[in-house]
mmCIF file of all heavy atoms in Angstrom:
data_model
loop_
_atom_site.group_PDB
_atom_site.id
_atom_site.type_symbol
_atom_site.label_atom_id
_atom_site.label_comp_id
_atom_site.label_asym_id
_atom_site.label_seq_id
_atom_site.Cartn_x
_atom_site.Cartn_y
_atom_site.Cartn_z
ATOM 1 N N ASP A 956 0.808 -1.224 0.000
ATOM 2 C CA ASP A 956 0.000 0.000 0.000
ATOM 3 C C ASP A 956 0.843 1.277 0.000
ATOM 4 O O ASP A 956 0.498 2.256 -0.672
ATOM 5 C CB ASP A 956 -0.941 0.012 1.207
ATOM 6 C CG ASP A 956 -2.110 -0.929 1.047
ATOM 7 O OD1 ASP A 956 -2.348 -1.386 -0.090
ATOM 8 O OD2 ASP A 956 -2.789 -1.228 2.048
ATOM 9 N N SER A 957 1.933 1.305 0.725
ATOM 10 C CA SER A 957 2.701 2.544 0.870
ATOM 11 C C SER A 957 3.438 2.951 -0.406
ATOM 12 O O SER A 957 3.903 4.094 -0.512
ATOM 13 C CB SER A 957 3.701 2.429 2.012
ATOM 14 O OG SER A 957 4.743 1.537 1.681
ATOM 15 N N VAL A 958 3.541 2.035 -1.392
ATOM 16 C CA VAL A 958 4.258 2.369 -2.621
ATOM 17 C C VAL A 958 3.321 2.514 -3.820
ATOM 18 O O VAL A 958 3.769 2.889 -4.902
ATOM 19 C CB VAL A 958 5.362 1.336 -2.943
ATOM 20 C CG1 VAL A 958 6.271 1.128 -1.734
ATOM 21 C CG2 VAL A 958 4.783 0.016 -3.421
ATOM 22 N N LYS A 959 2.055 2.209 -3.625
ATOM 23 C CA LYS A 959 1.098 2.334 -4.731
ATOM 24 C C LYS A 959 1.071 3.755 -5.262
ATOM 25 O O LYS A 959 1.032 4.711 -4.497
ATOM 26 C CB LYS A 959 -0.304 1.928 -4.261
ATOM 27 C CG LYS A 959 -0.505 0.438 -4.119
ATOM 28 C CD LYS A 959 -1.917 0.124 -3.663
ATOM 29 C CE LYS A 959 -2.123 -1.364 -3.496
ATOM 30 N NZ LYS A 959 -3.473 -1.684 -2.960
ATOM 31 N N GLY A 960 1.127 3.877 -6.582
ATOM 32 C CA GLY A 960 1.120 5.188 -7.215
ATOM 33 C C GLY A 960 2.491 5.817 -7.323
ATOM 34 O O GLY A 960 2.663 6.821 -8.030
ATOM 35 N N ARG A 961 3.490 5.260 -6.619
ATOM 36 C CA ARG A 961 4.861 5.789 -6.693
ATOM 37 C C ARG A 961 5.813 4.815 -7.376
ATOM 38 O O ARG A 961 6.742 5.236 -8.067
ATOM 39 C CB ARG A 961 5.390 6.103 -5.288
ATOM 40 C CG ARG A 961 4.575 7.121 -4.526
ATOM 41 C CD ARG A 961 5.275 7.533 -3.234
ATOM 42 N NE ARG A 961 5.450 6.435 -2.299
ATOM 43 C CZ ARG A 961 6.630 6.037 -1.818
ATOM 44 N NH1 ARG A 961 7.731 6.672 -2.169
ATOM 45 N NH2 ARG A 961 6.690 5.026 -0.964
ATOM 46 N N PHE A 962 5.616 3.525 -7.154
ATOM 47 C CA PHE A 962 6.499 2.486 -7.706
ATOM 48 C C PHE A 962 5.778 1.744 -8.820
ATOM 49 O O PHE A 962 4.569 1.520 -8.745
ATOM 50 C CB PHE A 962 6.896 1.500 -6.626
ATOM 51 C CG PHE A 962 7.805 2.027 -5.553
ATOM 52 C CD1 PHE A 962 8.087 3.381 -5.419
ATOM 53 C CD2 PHE A 962 8.401 1.141 -4.652
ATOM 54 C CE1 PHE A 962 8.929 3.851 -4.429
ATOM 55 C CE2 PHE A 962 9.250 1.587 -3.653
ATOM 56 C CZ PHE A 962 9.500 2.947 -3.533
ATOM 57 N N THR A 963 6.548 1.313 -9.817
ATOM 58 C CA THR A 963 6.017 0.506 -10.905
ATOM 59 C C THR A 963 6.969 -0.649 -11.183
ATOM 60 O O THR A 963 8.160 -0.430 -11.411
ATOM 61 C CB THR A 963 5.844 1.327 -12.184
ATOM 62 O OG1 THR A 963 4.991 2.449 -11.929
ATOM 63 C CG2 THR A 963 5.228 0.469 -13.289
ATOM 64 N N ILE A 964 6.430 -1.858 -11.153
ATOM 65 C CA ILE A 964 7.226 -3.039 -11.452
ATOM 66 C C ILE A 964 6.973 -3.444 -12.905
ATOM 67 O O ILE A 964 5.847 -3.334 -13.403
ATOM 68 C CB ILE A 964 6.903 -4.193 -10.480
ATOM 69 C CG1 ILE A 964 7.898 -5.338 -10.647
ATOM 70 C CG2 ILE A 964 5.457 -4.665 -10.627
ATOM 71 C CD1 ILE A 964 7.771 -6.426 -9.564
ATOM 72 N N SER A 965 8.023 -3.912 -13.566
ATOM 73 C CA SER A 965 7.888 -4.367 -14.953
ATOM 74 C C SER A 965 8.885 -5.493 -15.185
ATOM 75 O O SER A 965 9.809 -5.694 -14.390
ATOM 76 C CB SER A 965 8.138 -3.215 -15.934
ATOM 77 O OG SER A 965 9.450 -2.700 -15.781
ATOM 78 N N ARG A 966 8.683 -6.225 -16.267
ATOM 79 C CA ARG A 966 9.597 -7.316 -16.584
ATOM 80 C C ARG A 966 9.772 -7.441 -18.084
ATOM 81 O O ARG A 966 8.898 -7.042 -18.859
ATOM 82 C CB ARG A 966 9.099 -8.635 -15.990
ATOM 83 C CG ARG A 966 7.824 -9.179 -16.609
ATOM 84 C CD ARG A 966 7.321 -10.393 -15.821
ATOM 85 N NE ARG A 966 8.223 -11.524 -15.932
ATOM 86 C CZ ARG A 966 8.231 -12.555 -15.078
ATOM 87 N NH1 ARG A 966 7.377 -12.578 -14.059
ATOM 88 N NH2 ARG A 966 9.071 -13.555 -15.256
ATOM 89 N N ASP A 967 10.903 -8.012 -18.468
ATOM 90 C CA ASP A 967 11.198 -8.297 -19.865
ATOM 91 C C ASP A 967 11.629 -9.755 -19.923
ATOM 92 O O ASP A 967 12.775 -10.085 -19.578
ATOM 93 C CB ASP A 967 12.290 -7.366 -20.382
ATOM 94 C CG ASP A 967 12.551 -7.533 -21.868
ATOM 95 O OD1 ASP A 967 12.246 -8.614 -22.422
ATOM 96 O OD2 ASP A 967 13.069 -6.598 -22.488
ATOM 97 N N ASN A 968 10.728 -10.623 -20.324
ATOM 98 C CA ASN A 968 11.035 -12.056 -20.332
ATOM 99 C C ASN A 968 12.084 -12.408 -21.384
ATOM 100 O O ASN A 968 12.763 -13.426 -21.262
ATOM 101 C CB ASN A 968 9.761 -12.862 -20.560
ATOM 102 C CG ASN A 968 8.871 -12.883 -19.331
ATOM 103 O OD1 ASN A 968 9.300 -12.530 -18.228
ATOM 104 N ND2 ASN A 968 7.626 -13.283 -19.507
ATOM 105 N N ALA A 969 12.226 -11.608 -22.405
ATOM 106 C CA ALA A 969 13.251 -11.863 -23.420
ATOM 107 C C ALA A 969 14.653 -11.585 -22.885
ATOM 108 O O ALA A 969 15.626 -12.196 -23.345
ATOM 109 C CB ALA A 969 12.989 -11.012 -24.655
ATOM 110 N N LYS A 970 14.736 -10.685 -21.914
ATOM 111 C CA LYS A 970 16.042 -10.314 -21.355
ATOM 112 C C LYS A 970 16.254 -10.850 -19.940
ATOM 113 O O LYS A 970 17.283 -10.576 -19.330
ATOM 114 C CB LYS A 970 16.184 -8.786 -21.352
ATOM 115 C CG LYS A 970 16.194 -8.172 -22.743
ATOM 116 C CD LYS A 970 16.392 -6.661 -22.668
ATOM 117 C CE LYS A 970 16.436 -6.062 -24.071
ATOM 118 N NZ LYS A 970 16.612 -4.574 -24.015
ATOM 119 N N ASN A 971 15.260 -11.586 -19.432
ATOM 120 C CA ASN A 971 15.356 -12.137 -18.069
ATOM 121 C C ASN A 971 15.605 -11.048 -17.028
ATOM 122 O O ASN A 971 16.451 -11.191 -16.130
ATOM 123 C CB ASN A 971 16.458 -13.198 -17.980
ATOM 124 C CG ASN A 971 16.073 -14.502 -18.636
ATOM 125 O OD1 ASN A 971 15.002 -14.613 -19.253
ATOM 126 N ND2 ASN A 971 16.925 -15.494 -18.528
ATOM 127 N N THR A 972 14.872 -9.964 -17.157
ATOM 128 C CA THR A 972 15.051 -8.872 -16.205
ATOM 129 C C THR A 972 13.714 -8.426 -15.615
ATOM 130 O O THR A 972 12.668 -8.524 -16.267
ATOM 131 C CB THR A 972 15.718 -7.656 -16.859
ATOM 132 O OG1 THR A 972 14.915 -7.199 -17.954
ATOM 133 C CG2 THR A 972 17.111 -7.986 -17.357
ATOM 134 N N VAL A 973 13.778 -7.961 -14.399
ATOM 135 C CA VAL A 973 12.647 -7.335 -13.741
ATOM 136 C C VAL A 973 13.137 -6.009 -13.179
ATOM 137 O O VAL A 973 14.264 -5.920 -12.687
ATOM 138 C CB VAL A 973 12.045 -8.234 -12.649
ATOM 139 C CG1 VAL A 973 13.061 -8.608 -11.599
ATOM 140 C CG2 VAL A 973 10.815 -7.587 -12.016
ATOM 141 N N SER A 974 12.305 -4.991 -13.293
ATOM 142 C CA SER A 974 12.697 -3.654 -12.869
ATOM 143 C C SER A 974 11.689 -3.070 -11.889
ATOM 144 O O SER A 974 10.530 -3.493 -11.852
ATOM 145 C CB SER A 974 12.810 -2.732 -14.088
ATOM 146 O OG SER A 974 13.809 -3.195 -14.979
ATOM 147 N N LEU A 975 12.155 -2.103 -11.125
ATOM 148 C CA LEU A 975 11.292 -1.386 -10.201
ATOM 149 C C LEU A 975 11.589 0.097 -10.359
ATOM 150 O O LEU A 975 12.663 0.566 -9.970
ATOM 151 C CB LEU A 975 11.530 -1.825 -8.763
ATOM 152 C CG LEU A 975 10.572 -1.225 -7.736
ATOM 153 C CD1 LEU A 975 9.147 -1.780 -7.941
ATOM 154 C CD2 LEU A 975 11.041 -1.521 -6.311
ATOM 155 N N GLN A 976 10.657 0.822 -10.963
ATOM 156 C CA GLN A 976 10.775 2.269 -11.084
ATOM 157 C C GLN A 976 10.206 2.891 -9.819
ATOM 158 O O GLN A 976 9.037 2.664 -9.495
ATOM 159 C CB GLN A 976 10.016 2.768 -12.313
ATOM 160 C CG GLN A 976 10.027 4.274 -12.483
ATOM 161 C CD GLN A 976 11.414 4.811 -12.784
ATOM 162 O OE1 GLN A 976 12.159 4.230 -13.565
ATOM 163 N NE2 GLN A 976 11.769 5.936 -12.151
ATOM 164 N N MET A 977 11.031 3.659 -9.128
ATOM 165 C CA MET A 977 10.624 4.238 -7.856
ATOM 166 C C MET A 977 10.648 5.756 -7.982
ATOM 167 O O MET A 977 11.713 6.343 -8.198
ATOM 168 C CB MET A 977 11.567 3.786 -6.736
ATOM 169 C CG MET A 977 11.697 2.280 -6.628
ATOM 170 S SD MET A 977 12.655 1.763 -5.187
ATOM 171 C CE MET A 977 14.255 2.433 -5.613
ATOM 172 N N ASN A 978 9.491 6.359 -7.873
ATOM 173 C CA ASN A 978 9.357 7.811 -7.961
ATOM 174 C C ASN A 978 8.931 8.384 -6.610
ATOM 175 O O ASN A 978 8.440 7.661 -5.743
ATOM 176 C CB ASN A 978 8.327 8.190 -9.032
ATOM 177 C CG ASN A 978 8.718 7.719 -10.408
ATOM 178 O OD1 ASN A 978 9.902 7.629 -10.754
ATOM 179 N ND2 ASN A 978 7.732 7.413 -11.227
ATOM 180 N N SER A 979 9.111 9.687 -6.469
ATOM 181 C CA SER A 979 8.693 10.379 -5.234
ATOM 182 C C SER A 979 9.205 9.653 -3.996
ATOM 183 O O SER A 979 8.446 9.374 -3.061
ATOM 184 C CB SER A 979 7.169 10.508 -5.196
ATOM 185 O OG SER A 979 6.683 11.193 -6.321
ATOM 186 N N LEU A 980 10.471 9.332 -3.996
ATOM 187 C CA LEU A 980 11.041 8.553 -2.893
ATOM 188 C C LEU A 980 10.968 9.310 -1.579
ATOM 189 O O LEU A 980 11.079 10.550 -1.536
ATOM 190 C CB LEU A 980 12.474 8.168 -3.219
ATOM 191 C CG LEU A 980 12.600 7.010 -4.209
ATOM 192 C CD1 LEU A 980 13.980 6.956 -4.826
ATOM 193 C CD2 LEU A 980 12.277 5.688 -3.520
ATOM 194 N N LYS A 981 10.789 8.552 -0.515
ATOM 195 C CA LYS A 981 10.678 9.090 0.835
ATOM 196 C C LYS A 981 11.767 8.474 1.712
ATOM 197 O O LYS A 981 12.234 7.360 1.431
ATOM 198 C CB LYS A 981 9.309 8.746 1.419
ATOM 199 C CG LYS A 981 8.130 9.230 0.589
ATOM 200 C CD LYS A 981 6.824 8.759 1.197
ATOM 201 C CE LYS A 981 5.630 9.226 0.364
ATOM 202 N NZ LYS A 981 4.347 8.761 0.950
ATOM 203 N N PRO A 982 12.147 9.138 2.780
ATOM 204 C CA PRO A 982 13.157 8.546 3.680
ATOM 205 C C PRO A 982 12.757 7.160 4.180
ATOM 206 O O PRO A 982 13.632 6.304 4.372
ATOM 207 C CB PRO A 982 13.232 9.562 4.824
ATOM 208 C CG PRO A 982 12.881 10.867 4.182
ATOM 209 C CD PRO A 982 11.827 10.525 3.163
#
């Protein structure tokens, strides 16, 4: 809940990678 709207998870199965875009970071 605390990261909804700020973080986005994505994956690329062709490259075997998963990413986490983190915006509006907080302490």
Side-chain angles (χ1 to χ4, degrees):
D956 285 346
S957 70
V958 308
K959 284 180 181 176
R961 300 189 297 122
F962 291 11
T963 303
I964 190 171
S965 61
R966 68 187 293 161
D967 185 337
N968 286 346
K970 296 182 179 179
N971 286 5
T972 59
V973 58
S974 298
L975 186 68
Q976 177 67 42
M977 305 187 295
N978 299 329
S979 303
L980 283 162
K981 303 176 181 180

